Amino acid sequence: MEFTILRFESIESTNDEAIRQAKLGAPEGLCVVARSQTKGRGRHGRTWLSPPDAGLYFSLLLRPKLEPQALSLITLMSAIAVHDTLESLYHLDCDIKWVNDILVKDRKICGILTETCETYEGTAVVVGIGVNLLQGTIQLEIADIATSVEEETGKKPSKEDLIDNLTANLEQYYKILQSEDGPKRVCREWITRSSYAFGKRVRAKTERGVFEGVTAGLTWNGALILQLDSKEKIIISTGEVEQLRKT
Ligand code: BTN
């Protein structure tokens, strides 16, 4: 894949710009990077605060040749890529909280927002990645649940090295996803990097309600299997999961 990087000083949201470019016919591999975002978006309609240079604000445009039910795996393969980048560049011991929060010591260091849009060239997928880079820029209200590369390593990271390593990893796992047995391989890779895959007591907030149980692996397309206390197994395809402490 050929990467082209569009850089902005400030923009509303790199995801919005990547979607706009997708609709104009931009090819896959287009990356949008901004020093700050004025309307950064998180999952579930949340705001992603994006002060200048405090984080990496990055969106990648993909035009996957996958069946629609497999598109959810793009989120998992992106989490794997970020996980590996943070481990190899900064030696951070990362975890992945289903489905795509990257945690260090249970605090969030990166969030991923994957969005799809229809274009004349077919379905496009935009992977928006926000990595907390600098200490002191995380607002107080989330300081106990968020962390940054600087806080964990004591060093200010280079954004360019991060982009280089991240794009290489995204390319590698995207190739794996689109290969034969790709979905199985991506799920397997995700499971080896996440403490949430098996045996974790969690609460899942979904559109169907709130469920508590123990995680029991993934379905072929990356949905989380949850075993309820009644022993019934349910599948969580969208929603949010939080760890419950054992009582
Ligand atoms: C989450 O809620 O955890 C996902 C956060 C995703 C934030 C990134 S920053 C770059 C891209 N542009 C956005 O507006 N959001 C994503």
Side-chain angles (χ1 to χ4, degrees):
M1 180 166 28
E2 208 164 297
F3 291 103
T4 307
I5 304 189
L6 270 186
R7 292 172 194 273
F8 292 83
E9 201 46 40
S10 176
I11 198 168
E12 288 196 347
S13 155
T14 55
N15 264 33
D16 288 348
E17 178 61 20
I19 290 171
R20 198 178 74 82
Q21 294 287 342
K23 289 187 173 157
L24 291 173
E28 81 173 353
L30 177 87
C31 303
V32 182
V33 178
R35 291 185 66 189
S36 69
Q37 298 184 115
T38 52
K39 282 194 190 154
R41 288 186 282 114
R43 295 177 70 221
H44 308 294
R46 294 198 195 103
T47 299
W48 188 261
L49 285 175
S50 314
D53 296 326
L56 174 71
Y57 316 121
F58 170 98
S59 299
L60 167 65
L61 168 62
L62 297 173
R63 295 191 179 276
K65 290 167 199 68
L66 291 170
E67 48 181 309
Q69 301 97 298
L71 288 179
S72 46
L73 288 164
I74 290 181
T75 298
L76 279 84
M77 77 88 195
S78 306
I80 297 168
V82 175
H83 173 284
D84 287 13
T85 289
L86 296 182
E87 287 211 339
S88 69
L89 277 184
Y90 312 120
H91 312 291
L92 296 177
D93 187 9
C94 297
D95 193 6
I96 309 177
K97 179 162 85 78
W98 191 86
V99 54
N100 55 2
D101 282 349
I102 312 297
L103 310 180
V104 176
K105 296 185 220 117
D106 285 333
R107 287 154 84 206
K108 181 159 163 173
I109 197 161
C110 167
I112 303 174
L113 175 67
T114 309
E115 298 180 300
T116 53
C117 69
E118 291 312 317
T119 73
Y120 289 121
E121 292 76 14
T123 303
V125 177
V126 168
V127 181
I129 298 175
V131 183
N132 300 331
L133 295 180
L134 299 186
Q135 204 173 355
T137 45
I138 296 170
Q139 322 123 273
L140 278 180
E141 309 91 79
I142 57 164
D144 57 336
I145 54 165
T147 189
S148 64
V149 174
E150 187 187 21
E151 189 166 342
E152 297 302 325
T153 63
K155 292 190 197 114
K156 289 198 194 326
S158 146
K159 225 187 266 184
E160 293 314 308
D161 290 351
L162 180 53
I163 293 170
D164 283 353
N165 195 297
L166 183 57
T167 46
N169 280 334
L170 284 165
E171 181 170 26
Q172 182 195 344
Y173 287 108
Y174 184 53
K175 226 180 245 166
I176 290 176
L177 175 59
Q178 300 203 91
S179 67
E180 210 188 316
D181 267 347
K184 221 186 256 169
R185 291 174 69 189
V186 165
C187 285
R188 220 183 292 139
E189 296 290 343
W190 190 95
I191 283 170
T192 64
R193 290 163 178 79
S194 172
S195 73
Y196 281 75
F198 288 98
K200 179 89 104 192
R201 193 158 178 85
V202 298
R203 176 179 296 132
K205 293 184 188 154
T206 75
E207 283 166 359
R208 287 175 290 150
V210 179
F211 302 94
E212 284 185 16
V214 175
T215 59
L218 300 177
T219 63
W220 74 272
N221 63 349
L224 185 67
I225 303 170
L226 192 63
Q227 178 160 43
L228 307 179
D229 296 336
S230 62
K231 299 287 174 243
E232 182 197 352
K233 283 187 178 163
I234 62 166
I235 291 170
I236 312 284
S237 311
T238 53
E240 256 192 303
V241 154
E242 64 173 303
Q243 179 177 8
L244 291 174
R245 306 281 162 198
K246 289 192 188 92
T247 44

